[in-house]
Amino acid sequence: MALRHAVLAALLDGEFSGYQLAKGFDIGVANFWHALPQQLYAELSRLEGEGLVAGREVVQEGRPNKRLFTVTDAGLAELESFAAAAAKPSFIRDDLLVKVQAVDGVDAAPVIAQLRERAAVAEAKTEVLGALLRRLRGDLDEDEFLRTGRRIGPYLTCLRGLAFERETREWCLRTADLLARRRAEAARGRAGG
Amino acid sequence: MALRHAVLAALLDGEFSGYQLAKGFDIGVANFWHALPQQLYAELSRLEGEGLVAGREVVQEGRPNKRLFTVTDAGLAELESFAAAAAKPSFIRDDLLVKVQAVDGVDAAPVIAQLRERAAVAEAKTEVLGALLRRLRGDLDEDEFLRTGRRIGPYLTCLRGLAFERETREWCLRTADLLARRRAEAARGRAGG
DNA sequence: TCTGACTAGTCAGATTCTTGAGTATGAGTC
DNA sequence: GACTCATACTCAAGAATCTGACTAGTCAGA
Protein backbone atom coordinates (compact mmCIF):
# COMPACT_ATOMS: atom_id res chain seq x y z
CA MET A 1 0.00 0.00 0.00
CA ALA A 2 2.99 2.33 -0.18
CA LEU A 3 4.57 1.86 -3.56
CA ARG A 4 1.64 3.89 -4.82
CA HIS A 5 2.77 6.87 -2.79
CA ALA A 6 6.34 6.56 -3.94
CA VAL A 7 5.06 6.57 -7.51
CA LEU A 8 2.86 9.59 -6.90
CA ALA A 9 5.80 11.39 -5.28
CA ALA A 10 8.00 10.57 -8.25
CA LEU A 11 5.37 11.87 -10.67
CA LEU A 12 5.36 15.24 -8.91
CA ASP A 13 8.50 15.97 -10.92
CA GLY A 14 6.73 15.74 -14.23
CA GLU A 15 5.24 13.38 -16.74
CA PHE A 16 6.77 9.95 -16.87
CA SER A 17 6.09 6.64 -18.53
CA GLY A 18 6.29 3.36 -16.68
CA TYR A 19 9.47 2.63 -18.55
CA GLN A 20 11.06 5.92 -17.52
CA LEU A 21 10.11 5.33 -13.91
CA ALA A 22 11.51 1.83 -14.11
CA LYS A 23 14.84 3.24 -15.30
CA GLY A 24 14.86 6.29 -13.09
CA PHE A 25 13.80 4.56 -9.93
CA ASP A 26 17.46 3.74 -9.60
CA ILE A 27 18.30 7.36 -9.03
CA GLY A 28 16.34 9.77 -6.89
CA VAL A 29 13.32 7.97 -5.54
CA ALA A 30 15.25 4.71 -5.52
CA ASN A 31 17.19 6.05 -2.53
CA PHE A 32 14.30 5.07 -0.38
CA TRP A 33 12.07 2.91 -2.46
CA HIS A 34 12.81 0.04 -4.73
CA ALA A 35 10.49 -1.51 -7.27
CA LEU A 36 10.67 -3.76 -10.29
CA PRO A 37 9.30 -2.59 -13.65
CA GLN A 38 6.36 -4.98 -13.44
CA GLN A 39 5.32 -3.48 -10.16
CA LEU A 40 5.50 0.04 -11.54
CA TYR A 41 3.39 -0.80 -14.58
CA ALA A 42 0.84 -2.56 -12.44
CA GLU A 43 0.73 0.25 -9.91
CA LEU A 44 0.36 2.90 -12.61
CA SER A 45 -2.60 0.99 -14.05
CA ARG A 46 -4.22 0.72 -10.64
CA LEU A 47 -3.60 4.39 -9.91
CA GLU A 48 -5.10 5.31 -13.25
CA GLY A 49 -8.11 3.13 -12.57
CA GLU A 50 -8.64 4.96 -9.29
CA GLY A 51 -8.21 8.34 -10.95
CA LEU A 52 -5.10 9.24 -8.95
CA VAL A 53 -2.99 9.63 -12.05
CA ALA A 54 -3.95 10.46 -15.62
CA GLY A 55 -2.24 8.74 -18.54
CA ARG A 56 -1.97 9.93 -22.10
CA GLU A 57 -0.79 7.96 -25.08
CA VAL A 58 2.16 9.46 -26.93
CA VAL A 59 2.61 8.17 -30.45
CA GLN A 60 6.26 7.86 -31.38
CA GLU A 61 8.07 7.25 -34.63
CA GLY A 62 10.71 4.58 -34.79
CA ARG A 63 9.87 3.19 -31.37
CA PRO A 64 6.86 1.84 -29.48
CA ASN A 65 4.24 4.28 -28.30
CA LYS A 66 4.28 5.12 -24.65
CA ARG A 67 1.91 6.30 -21.97
CA LEU A 68 2.89 9.31 -19.89
CA PHE A 69 1.34 9.81 -16.48
CA THR A 70 0.68 12.84 -14.32
CA VAL A 71 -0.77 13.18 -10.84
CA THR A 72 -4.39 14.31 -10.72
CA ASP A 73 -5.98 16.45 -8.03
CA ALA A 74 -7.32 13.27 -6.46
CA GLY A 75 -3.78 11.90 -6.49
CA LEU A 76 -2.53 15.01 -4.76
CA ALA A 77 -5.23 14.65 -2.14
CA GLU A 78 -4.16 11.04 -1.63
CA LEU A 79 -0.55 12.14 -1.13
CA GLU A 80 -1.73 14.82 1.25
CA SER A 81 -3.52 12.35 3.47
CA PHE A 82 -0.61 9.92 3.22
CA ALA A 83 1.78 12.62 4.39
CA ALA A 84 -0.47 13.43 7.33
CA ALA A 85 -0.83 9.80 8.46
CA ALA A 86 1.64 8.27 10.88
CA ALA A 87 4.73 6.93 9.13
CA LYS A 88 5.70 3.35 9.58
CA PRO A 89 9.19 2.92 10.92
CA SER A 90 11.70 2.57 8.13
CA PHE A 91 13.67 -0.55 7.70
CA ILE A 92 16.73 -1.75 5.96
CA ARG A 93 17.09 -5.21 4.59
CA ASP A 94 20.58 -6.09 3.67
CA ASP A 95 21.97 -9.49 2.84
CA LEU A 96 25.48 -8.21 3.29
CA LEU A 97 24.87 -7.20 6.89
CA VAL A 98 23.45 -10.64 7.57
CA LYS A 99 26.70 -12.08 6.25
CA VAL A 100 28.78 -9.82 8.42
CA GLN A 101 26.67 -10.76 11.44
CA ALA A 102 27.48 -14.38 10.67
CA VAL A 103 31.11 -13.79 9.71
CA ASP A 104 32.55 -15.43 12.83
CA GLY A 105 30.94 -18.71 11.85
CA VAL A 106 31.77 -18.82 8.15
CA ASP A 107 34.66 -18.22 5.77
CA ALA A 108 35.35 -14.48 5.74
CA ALA A 109 36.98 -14.31 2.31
CA PRO A 110 33.83 -13.98 0.20
CA VAL A 111 32.36 -11.55 2.72
CA ILE A 112 35.45 -9.35 2.46
CA ALA A 113 35.19 -9.43 -1.34
CA GLN A 114 31.54 -8.45 -1.21
CA LEU A 115 32.23 -5.64 1.23
CA ARG A 116 34.78 -4.18 -1.16
CA GLU A 117 32.41 -4.57 -4.08
CA ARG A 118 29.65 -2.88 -2.13
CA ALA A 119 32.01 -0.06 -1.21
CA ALA A 120 32.70 0.50 -4.90
CA VAL A 121 28.99 0.51 -5.71
CA ALA A 122 28.35 2.97 -2.89
CA GLU A 123 31.11 5.23 -4.17
CA ALA A 124 29.61 5.18 -7.66
CA LYS A 125 26.26 6.08 -6.17
CA THR A 126 27.69 9.00 -4.25
CA GLU A 127 28.93 10.35 -7.56
CA VAL A 128 25.60 9.91 -9.27
CA LEU A 129 23.82 11.54 -6.34
CA GLY A 130 26.34 14.35 -6.19
CA ALA A 131 25.77 15.08 -9.86
CA LEU A 132 22.01 14.94 -9.34
CA LEU A 133 22.25 17.41 -6.48
CA ARG A 134 24.31 19.81 -8.59
CA ARG A 135 21.76 19.53 -11.37
CA LEU A 136 18.83 20.11 -9.02
CA ARG A 137 20.26 23.22 -7.42
CA GLY A 138 21.41 24.74 -10.71
CA ASP A 139 23.78 27.64 -10.12
CA LEU A 140 22.60 28.41 -6.62
CA ASP A 141 24.62 27.23 -3.67
CA GLU A 142 22.99 24.65 -1.45
CA ASP A 143 21.85 26.96 1.33
CA GLU A 144 20.29 29.42 -1.03
CA PHE A 145 18.62 26.70 -3.05
CA LEU A 146 17.17 25.12 0.08
CA ARG A 147 15.91 28.50 1.30
CA THR A 148 14.39 29.66 -1.96
CA GLY A 149 13.91 26.63 -4.25
CA ARG A 150 10.39 25.68 -5.29
CA ARG A 151 11.03 21.95 -5.43
CA ILE A 152 13.31 20.85 -2.64
CA GLY A 153 11.82 17.46 -1.72
CA PRO A 154 13.98 15.49 -4.14
CA TYR A 155 17.04 17.46 -3.07
CA LEU A 156 16.46 16.64 0.57
CA THR A 157 15.97 12.95 -0.06
CA CYS A 158 19.08 12.87 -2.22
CA LEU A 159 21.04 14.42 0.63
CA ARG A 160 19.87 11.56 2.81
CA GLY A 161 20.81 9.07 0.14
CA LEU A 162 24.22 10.63 -0.27
CA ALA A 163 24.94 10.49 3.45
CA PHE A 164 23.79 6.88 3.49
CA GLU A 165 26.02 5.86 0.61
CA ARG A 166 29.01 7.63 2.10
CA GLU A 167 28.49 5.87 5.41
CA THR A 168 28.03 2.58 3.62
CA ARG A 169 31.30 3.06 1.77
CA GLU A 170 33.22 3.96 4.94
CA TRP A 171 31.84 1.10 6.92
CA CYS A 172 32.37 -1.47 4.17
CA LEU A 173 35.98 -0.47 3.66
CA ARG A 174 36.72 -0.35 7.37
CA THR A 175 35.04 -3.69 7.95
CA ALA A 176 36.69 -5.35 4.97
CA ASP A 177 40.14 -4.16 6.08
CA LEU A 178 39.54 -5.32 9.61
CA LEU A 179 38.40 -8.77 8.54
CA ALA A 180 41.31 -9.05 6.12
CA ARG A 181 43.80 -8.12 8.86
CA ARG A 182 42.27 -10.69 11.20
CA ARG A 183 42.60 -13.35 8.52
CA ALA A 184 46.22 -12.44 7.95
CA GLU A 185 46.85 -12.58 11.72
CA ALA A 186 45.16 -15.95 12.00
CA ALA A 187 47.20 -17.31 9.10
CA ARG A 188 50.42 -16.03 10.68
CA GLY A 189 49.36 -17.57 13.97
CA ARG A 190 48.84 -20.96 12.36
CA ALA A 191 52.09 -20.77 10.41
CA GLY A 192 54.29 -19.37 13.18
CA GLY A 193 53.14 -21.81 15.85
CA MET B 1 14.46 -16.58 0.98
CA ALA B 2 16.59 -14.43 3.24
CA LEU B 3 14.84 -14.16 6.56
CA ARG B 4 16.06 -17.69 7.15
CA HIS B 5 19.66 -16.50 6.99
CA ALA B 6 18.99 -13.61 9.31
CA VAL B 7 17.51 -16.08 11.78
CA LEU B 8 20.45 -18.45 11.44
CA ALA B 9 22.85 -15.53 11.94
CA ALA B 10 20.94 -14.45 15.05
CA LEU B 11 21.08 -17.98 16.45
CA LEU B 12 24.87 -18.00 16.20
CA ASP B 13 24.81 -16.00 19.43
CA GLY B 14 23.20 -18.77 21.40
CA GLU B 15 19.99 -20.62 22.04
CA PHE B 16 16.83 -18.60 21.56
CA SER B 17 13.12 -19.19 21.49
CA GLY B 18 10.89 -17.70 18.83
CA TYR B 19 9.55 -15.36 21.45
CA GLN B 20 13.01 -14.15 22.43
CA LEU B 21 13.93 -13.58 18.80
CA ALA B 22 10.69 -11.71 18.29
CA LYS B 23 11.57 -9.39 21.16
CA GLY B 24 15.25 -9.13 20.42
CA PHE B 25 14.95 -8.64 16.71
CA ASP B 26 14.45 -5.00 17.60
CA ILE B 27 18.01 -4.72 18.78
CA GLY B 28 21.02 -6.19 17.09
CA VAL B 29 19.86 -8.10 14.04
CA ALA B 30 16.96 -5.72 13.63
CA ASN B 31 19.44 -3.14 12.40
CA PHE B 32 19.34 -4.79 9.06
CA TRP B 33 16.44 -7.15 9.14
CA HIS B 34 12.91 -6.75 10.27
CA ALA B 35 10.37 -9.48 10.92
CA LEU B 36 7.13 -10.00 12.76
CA PRO B 37 6.80 -12.71 15.41
CA GLN B 38 4.59 -14.83 13.15
CA GLN B 39 7.28 -14.88 10.51
CA LEU B 40 9.92 -15.89 13.00
CA TYR B 41 7.88 -18.77 14.39
CA ALA B 42 7.05 -19.96 10.90
CA GLU B 43 10.62 -19.66 9.74
CA LEU B 44 11.94 -21.50 12.79
CA SER B 45 9.52 -24.36 12.10
CA ARG B 46 10.60 -24.52 8.49
CA LEU B 47 14.28 -24.41 9.45
CA GLU B 48 13.71 -27.18 11.96
CA GLY B 49 11.90 -29.23 9.33
CA GLU B 50 14.88 -28.87 7.05
CA GLY B 51 17.30 -29.75 9.82
CA LEU B 52 19.06 -26.38 9.76
CA VAL B 53 18.20 -25.66 13.37
CA ALA B 54 17.47 -28.00 16.27
CA GLY B 55 14.78 -27.18 18.79
CA ARG B 56 14.47 -28.49 22.30
CA GLU B 57 11.49 -28.11 24.61
CA VAL B 58 12.20 -26.40 27.90
CA VAL B 59 9.62 -27.05 30.59
CA GLN B 60 9.06 -24.02 32.77
CA GLU B 61 7.23 -23.45 36.02
CA GLY B 62 4.83 -20.58 36.29
CA ARG B 63 4.88 -19.81 32.59
CA PRO B 64 4.36 -21.61 29.29
CA ASN B 65 6.99 -24.00 28.08
CA LYS B 66 9.23 -22.80 25.32
CA ARG B 67 11.30 -24.19 22.51
CA LEU B 68 14.92 -23.13 22.25
CA PHE B 69 16.71 -23.37 18.93
CA THR B 70 20.32 -23.77 17.93
CA VAL B 71 22.00 -23.88 14.54
CA THR B 72 22.95 -27.36 13.36
CA ASP B 73 25.95 -28.25 11.22
CA ALA B 74 23.66 -28.27 8.23
CA GLY B 75 22.52 -24.78 9.21
CA LEU B 76 26.08 -23.63 9.40
CA ALA B 77 26.75 -25.07 5.96
CA GLU B 78 23.71 -23.21 4.68
CA LEU B 79 25.04 -19.97 6.14
CA GLU B 80 28.42 -20.70 4.65
CA SER B 81 27.02 -21.03 1.15
CA PHE B 82 24.80 -18.02 1.67
CA ALA B 83 27.82 -15.93 2.65
CA ALA B 84 29.69 -17.08 -0.43
CA ALA B 85 26.83 -16.29 -2.84
CA ALA B 86 26.52 -12.86 -4.42
CA ALA B 87 24.69 -10.43 -2.17
CA LYS B 88 21.63 -8.70 -3.43
CA PRO B 89 21.87 -4.94 -3.30
CA SER B 90 20.49 -3.59 -0.06
CA PHE B 91 17.50 -1.38 -0.01
CA ILE B 92 15.75 1.00 2.26
CA ARG B 93 12.04 1.46 2.28
CA ASP B 94 10.95 4.48 4.16
CA ASP B 95 7.55 6.12 4.19
CA LEU B 96 9.01 9.23 5.70
CA LEU B 97 11.39 9.79 2.81
CA VAL B 98 8.49 9.40 0.41
CA LYS B 99 6.73 12.16 2.32
CA VAL B 100 9.75 14.42 2.17
CA GLN B 101 10.06 13.75 -1.55
CA ALA B 102 6.46 14.93 -1.91
CA VAL B 103 6.74 17.77 0.59
CA ASP B 104 6.55 20.54 -2.01
CA GLY B 105 3.11 19.37 -3.04
CA VAL B 106 1.51 18.78 0.37
CA ASP B 107 1.17 20.43 3.75
CA ALA B 108 4.58 20.33 5.41
CA ALA B 109 3.39 20.54 9.00
CA PRO B 110 2.73 16.85 9.62
CA VAL B 111 5.93 15.95 7.79
CA ILE B 112 7.92 18.25 10.06
CA ALA B 113 6.30 16.65 13.10
CA GLN B 114 7.13 13.18 11.85
CA LEU B 115 10.72 14.15 11.11
CA ARG B 116 11.14 15.33 14.68
CA GLU B 117 9.54 12.19 16.02
CA ARG B 118 11.80 10.05 13.88
CA ALA B 119 14.81 11.99 15.10
CA ALA B 120 13.83 11.19 18.67
CA VAL B 121 13.41 7.51 17.83
CA ALA B 122 16.79 7.49 16.12
CA GLU B 123 18.40 9.10 19.13
CA ALA B 124 16.88 6.49 21.42
CA LYS B 125 18.22 3.79 19.13
CA THR B 126 21.71 5.24 19.18
CA GLU B 127 21.65 4.91 22.94
CA VAL B 128 20.43 1.34 22.85
CA LEU B 129 23.07 0.47 20.27
CA GLY B 130 25.77 2.29 22.18
CA ALA B 131 24.93 0.29 25.28
CA LEU B 132 24.90 -2.91 23.26
CA LEU B 133 28.34 -2.12 21.85
CA ARG B 134 29.74 -1.47 25.33
CA ARG B 135 28.28 -4.76 26.52
CA LEU B 136 29.68 -6.68 23.56
CA ARG B 137 33.22 -5.39 23.92
CA GLY B 138 33.29 -5.84 27.69
CA ASP B 139 36.23 -4.02 29.22
CA LEU B 140 38.34 -3.96 26.09
CA ASP B 141 38.51 -0.82 24.01
CA GLU B 142 37.04 -1.00 20.55
CA ASP B 143 40.24 -1.48 18.59
CA GLU B 144 41.47 -4.23 20.82
CA PHE B 145 38.11 -5.97 20.85
CA LEU B 146 37.91 -5.85 17.08
CA ARG B 147 41.45 -7.21 16.76
CA THR B 148 41.13 -9.99 19.27
CA GLY B 149 37.44 -10.70 19.92
CA ARG B 150 36.05 -14.10 19.02
CA ARG B 151 32.62 -12.87 18.03
CA ILE B 152 32.80 -9.56 16.23
CA GLY B 153 30.03 -9.92 13.63
CA PRO B 154 27.30 -8.45 15.83
CA TYR B 155 29.63 -5.66 16.90
CA LEU B 156 30.35 -4.70 13.31
CA THR B 157 26.70 -4.67 12.31
CA CYS B 158 25.86 -2.61 15.36
CA LEU B 159 28.47 -0.09 14.33
CA ARG B 160 26.73 0.18 10.99
CA GLY B 161 23.39 0.56 12.69
CA LEU B 162 24.73 3.21 15.00
CA ALA B 163 26.14 5.26 12.13
CA PHE B 164 22.84 4.89 10.32
CA GLU B 165 20.79 6.08 13.28
CA ARG B 166 23.11 9.00 13.89
CA GLU B 167 22.84 10.07 10.26
CA THR B 168 19.08 9.64 10.38
CA ARG B 169 18.85 11.85 13.43
CA GLU B 170 21.03 14.57 11.91
CA TRP B 171 19.19 14.59 8.64
CA CYS B 172 15.74 14.55 10.23
CA LEU B 173 16.54 17.47 12.48
CA ARG B 174 18.19 19.48 9.74
CA THR B 175 15.33 18.79 7.34
CA ALA B 176 12.64 19.54 9.91
CA ASP B 177 14.27 22.85 10.82
CA LEU B 178 14.65 23.81 7.19
CA LEU B 179 11.03 23.04 6.38
CA ALA B 180 9.87 24.87 9.47
CA ARG B 181 11.89 27.96 8.52
CA ARG B 182 10.48 27.90 5.01
CA ARG B 183 6.96 27.73 6.41
CA ALA B 184 7.66 30.66 8.69
CA GLU B 185 9.08 32.62 5.75
CA ALA B 186 6.09 31.83 3.59
CA ALA B 187 3.71 32.89 6.36
CA ARG B 188 5.60 36.15 6.80
CA GLY B 189 5.51 36.67 3.02
CA ARG B 190 1.74 36.24 2.95
CA ALA B 191 1.20 38.47 5.95
CA GLY B 192 3.69 41.22 5.01
CA GLY B 193 2.55 41.71 1.42
C1' DT C 1 21.88 -11.03 -42.35
C1' DC C 2 22.28 -12.35 -37.84
C1' DT C 3 23.08 -10.81 -33.12
C1' DG C 4 22.49 -8.16 -29.43
C1' DA C 5 20.81 -3.97 -27.18
C1' DC C 6 17.23 -0.52 -26.36
C1' DT C 7 12.42 1.00 -26.05
C1' DA C 8 7.93 -0.13 -24.06
C1' DG C 9 5.34 -2.97 -22.02
C1' DT C 10 2.42 -7.52 -20.33
C1' DC C 11 1.31 -12.01 -17.94
C1' DA C 12 1.38 -15.86 -14.79
C1' DG C 13 2.90 -17.98 -10.67
C1' DA C 14 5.31 -18.37 -6.47
C1' DT C 15 7.06 -16.52 -2.40
C1' DT C 16 7.11 -13.35 1.24
C1' DC C 17 5.17 -10.16 4.28
C1' DT C 18 1.47 -8.05 6.77
C1' DT C 19 -3.01 -7.82 9.20
C1' DG C 20 -5.72 -9.49 12.54
C1' DA C 21 -7.38 -12.65 15.50
C1' DG C 22 -7.09 -16.43 18.85
C1' DT C 23 -5.18 -19.89 22.66
C1' DA C 24 -3.44 -20.57 27.26
C1' DT C 25 -1.23 -19.67 31.78
C1' DG C 26 0.35 -17.00 35.67
C1' DA C 27 1.49 -12.61 38.12
C1' DG C 28 0.42 -8.22 39.71
C1' DT C 29 -3.00 -4.61 40.95
C1' DC C 30 -6.95 -1.78 41.96
C1' DG D 1 -12.67 -10.55 41.69
C1' DA D 2 -12.01 -8.33 37.34
C1' DC D 3 -8.51 -6.35 34.58
C1' DT D 4 -4.36 -5.92 32.56
C1' DC D 5 0.27 -7.34 31.38
C1' DA D 6 3.84 -10.68 30.09
C1' DT D 7 5.14 -15.15 28.37
C1' DA D 8 4.78 -18.26 24.51
C1' DC D 9 2.86 -19.49 20.48
C1' DT D 10 -0.62 -20.58 16.36
C1' DC D 11 -3.72 -19.92 12.31
C1' DA D 12 -5.79 -17.93 8.28
C1' DA D 13 -6.33 -14.61 4.75
C1' DG D 14 -4.91 -11.07 2.04
C1' DA D 15 -1.61 -7.73 0.15
C1' DA D 16 2.77 -6.91 -1.67
C1' DT D 17 6.75 -8.37 -3.89
C1' DC D 18 9.76 -11.18 -6.73
C1' DT D 19 11.03 -14.55 -10.46
C1' DG D 20 10.95 -15.44 -15.00
C1' DA D 21 9.23 -15.53 -19.32
C1' DC D 22 7.09 -13.27 -23.38
C1' DT D 23 5.65 -9.75 -27.27
C1' DA D 24 7.30 -6.55 -30.76
C1' DG D 25 9.51 -3.04 -33.32
C1' DT D 26 14.05 -0.29 -34.16
C1' DC D 27 18.81 0.35 -34.60
C1' DA D 28 23.90 -0.54 -34.67
C1' DG D 29 27.56 -3.41 -35.53
C1' DA D 30 29.95 -8.02 -37.09
Side-chain angles (χ1 to χ4, degrees), chain B residues 54-91:
Chain B
R56 66 185 184 92
E57 183 94 11
V58 174
V59 178
Q60 299 186 113
E61 311 248 319
R63 62 186 55 187
N65 297 345
K66 62 182 172 183
R67 291 171 49 70
L68 294 180
F69 295 92
T70 42
V71 179
T72 62
D73 288 348
L76 223 99
E78 170 69 22
L79 260 184
E80 184 80 50
S81 77
F82 165 69
K88 297 184 189 157
S90 87
F91 58 87

Side-chain angles (χ1 to χ4, degrees), chain A residues 125-184:
Chain A
K125 275 202 187 174
T126 63
E127 271 154 41
V128 171
L129 290 171
L132 184 52
L133 287 171
R134 280 192 296 280
R135 212 189 72 212
L136 287 172
R137 71 173 173 258
D139 28 287
L140 300 175
D141 70 5
E142 182 164 287
D143 274 3
E144 195 178 345
F145 173 73
L146 286 176
R147 271 203 316 279
T148 65
R150 289 185 343 278
R151 180 90 177 100
I152 58 166
Y155 197 92
L156 292 167
T157 56
C158 279
L159 281 177
R160 181 72 191 92
L162 184 61
F164 177 77
E165 296 300 339
R166 275 210 250 267
E167 277 292 347
T168 297
R169 179 177 168 278
E170 295 297 301
W171 177 84
C172 283
L173 289 180
R174 193 183 162 214
T175 301
D177 286 353
L178 177 79
L179 292 175
R181 262 201 308 280
R182 282 171 62 102
R183 268 173 73 81

Side-chain angles (χ1 to χ4, degrees), chain A residues 1 3 33-36 38-39 62-64:
Chain A
M1 257 333 224
L3 171 60
W33 213 269
H34 150 89
L36 298 166
Q38 300 93 313
Q39 279 176 273
R63 62 185 57 184

